[in-house]
Amino acid sequence: MVTRSNPRSTVAVSITDRRPRTEPIFGVQFRVCMPAYHALMPGIRIIHRTSLPPAEAWRRVTDWERHGAQVPLTRTIIGTEPPTRVGTRFTARTGVGRITFDDPMEVALWQPPADASPGLVRLEKRGRAVTGWAEIGVRPGPAGGSVVEWREELHVRGLGRRFDPLVAAAGRLLFSRALARLLRG
């Protein structure tokens, strides 16, 4: 018997001899590792340390209009009235002229930092071209300042799974630069 396991999900397949017998001549059981869909999406994780206090770091990384200014050829269109809360919607529109694509997002979790507790915002990507989610967490740093963590899983429809590593690498580069700029000025 050959087995492989994966804590996320496992598929078991049995192969037996098809000749009419009361007992199979040989039996083999395979466990094929098939992670859940979300485990196949490109995972992006960026950690940035800053001297800013958590409240100021939070204000900067959740200023959605400034996000668009940090990403080349992108602008952010806010679809709901301020202040930001669960249900706030905005769209990052990227492109030149008539060649554009929209990345609509909705705030699914909104927990600003308070006192010594960390803050966390979760964005659900609701677009036709880009799907997935992003989370931005802000917590007090061990030596003062803040630690900002950006996690994102995204999938660009139409590219196929073989492009996921490229999408993840481009996302890491783009989002790490945007995060550094948001916290800088």
Side-chain angles (χ1 to χ4, degrees):
M1 178 187 316
V2 177
T3 60
R4 296 172 115 184
S5 65
N6 179 339
R8 293 197 174 146
S9 64
T10 304
V11 176
V13 178
S14 287
I15 302 172
T16 59
D17 185 10
R18 297 212 180 255
R19 287 182 270 175
R21 297 183 189 262
T22 57
E23 300 274 328
I25 282 189
F26 83 101
V28 178
Q29 184 175 9
F30 294 97
R31 292 189 185 272
V32 180
C33 296
M34 292 296 294
Y37 174 77
H38 62 79
L40 298 172
M41 297 170 75
I44 298 165
R45 183 173 182 232
I46 302 158
I47 295 177
H48 189 92
R49 289 166 181 76
T50 179
S51 60
L52 296 170
E56 179 60 17
W58 176 263
R59 186 188 67 75
R60 291 182 185 197
V61 299
T62 60
D63 183 346
W64 309 125
E65 289 177 336
R66 287 190 63 226
H67 275 249
Q70 308 311 316
V71 179
L73 307 173
T74 301
R75 67 186 173 103
T76 305
I77 303 157
I78 308 298
T80 53
E81 294 294 320
T84 298
R85 62 196 174 284
V86 171
T88 294
R89 291 180 313 278
F90 59 93
T91 300
R93 179 168 287 158
T94 303
V96 178
R98 301 177 91 179
I99 304 170
T100 63
F101 77 90
D102 287 349
D103 182 7
M105 293 171 253
E106 183 175 338
V107 175
L109 176 69
W110 178 258
Q111 295 175 339
D115 301 323
S117 65
L120 181 65
V121 61
R122 181 178 174 95
L123 305 170
E124 298 288 337
K125 295 180 171 286
R126 308 257 189 232
R128 287 184 273 170
V130 180
T131 59
W133 56 266
E135 289 181 345
I136 304 171
V138 176
R139 66 181 186 275
S146 305
V147 177
V148 179
E149 182 176 359
W150 183 315
R151 294 182 331 122
E152 186 154 346
E153 290 197 5
L154 58 95
H155 179 70
V156 179
R157 289 189 178 146
L159 283 186
R161 296 276 176 230
R162 67 176 166 257
F163 291 101
D164 283 354
L166 181 62
V167 169
R172 267 187 223 96
L173 177 66
L174 189 68
F175 300 141
S176 62
R177 284 184 180 176
L179 183 58
R181 289 177 182 154
L182 285 166
L183 295 169
R184 191 176 319 132

